[in-house]
Amino acid sequence: MALLKQAQGAQSQMEARQVAPKLWALWAKAPDAKAQALLNRGMELLRVSDFKGSIAVLDELVAYCPDYAEGYNQRAFANYLQQDFDAALPDLDRAQALSPNHTGVLTGKALTLIGMGRAQAAQDVLRDAVAMNPWLSERALLVEPKGEDL
């Protein structure tokens, strides 16, 4: 993906930040007008903290477009915000299967795994995300592996 290559080649965080909105615009472009309306509505409900309403709309989106990763990602985000990590993780797994280069999905999955107390799995996912985009703000959560005493 050209945009991820731009992020990887960025010489500064400021330069990489110019790519992030373009990535999100790409990921949030739904397959058709109905799907776009559902996504937009679900995201608007998230913005006003109507999690149940958002999940209901995103359920409809996922049923309508089961191969559209962002529907799953946004529904996972709604569940994550409610700290329902067990509900969020399967949606993140599905979104990752559909869009393996979606760094937003990967960072969301890492944060969800942290919330579940699965620190090592979170580190593995986060390393994958940072490999795709070394400027992700979530890179600050990476823990250097402990060395061995000599």
Side-chain angles (χ1 to χ4, degrees):
M1 167 184 283
L3 289 172
L4 281 176
K5 287 190 187 300
Q6 282 181 354
Q8 288 172 344
Q11 298 301 307
S12 68
Q13 186 164 351
M14 186 65 83
E15 185 181 336
R17 282 188 180 177
Q18 295 174 15
V19 178
K22 295 174 189 174
L23 282 166
W24 279 106
L26 177 69
W27 294 324
K29 184 175 178 358
D32 62 30
K34 178 180 177 179
Q36 192 68 60
L38 289 168
L39 178 66
N40 292 347
R41 181 70 180 138
M43 291 173 66
E44 178 57 32
L45 290 168
L46 270 177
R47 276 191 278 281
V48 298
S49 300
D50 181 354
F51 304 121
K52 290 184 190 289
S54 177
I55 289 169
V57 171
L58 295 167
D59 284 346
E60 189 178 343
L61 173 58
V62 166
Y64 177 68
C65 286
D67 294 328
Y68 178 49
E70 197 57 29
Y72 296 96
N73 187 44
Q74 291 299 318
R75 188 170 67 180
F77 186 47
N79 282 306
Y80 173 83
L81 290 173
Q82 296 180 97
Q83 297 186 348
D84 188 350
F85 307 124
D86 290 329
L89 189 57
D91 276 347
L92 291 163
D93 287 339
R94 179 69 177 140
Q96 183 181 7
L98 292 168
S99 186
N101 294 325
H102 191 319
T103 55
V105 168
L106 293 176
T107 56
K109 185 174 179 177
L111 293 170
T112 298
L113 290 165
I114 289 169
M116 298 173 90
R118 296 174 55 190
Q120 186 55 55
Q123 289 292 305
D124 294 342
V125 172
L126 194 52
R127 287 185 199 294
D128 290 343
V130 170
M132 285 182 229
N133 182 351
W135 297 101
L136 292 170
S137 60
E138 292 85 357
R139 74 184 185 279
L141 299 173
L142 285 173
V143 176
E144 289 299 319
K146 293 181 181 178
E148 292 183 24
D149 289 334
L150 298 177

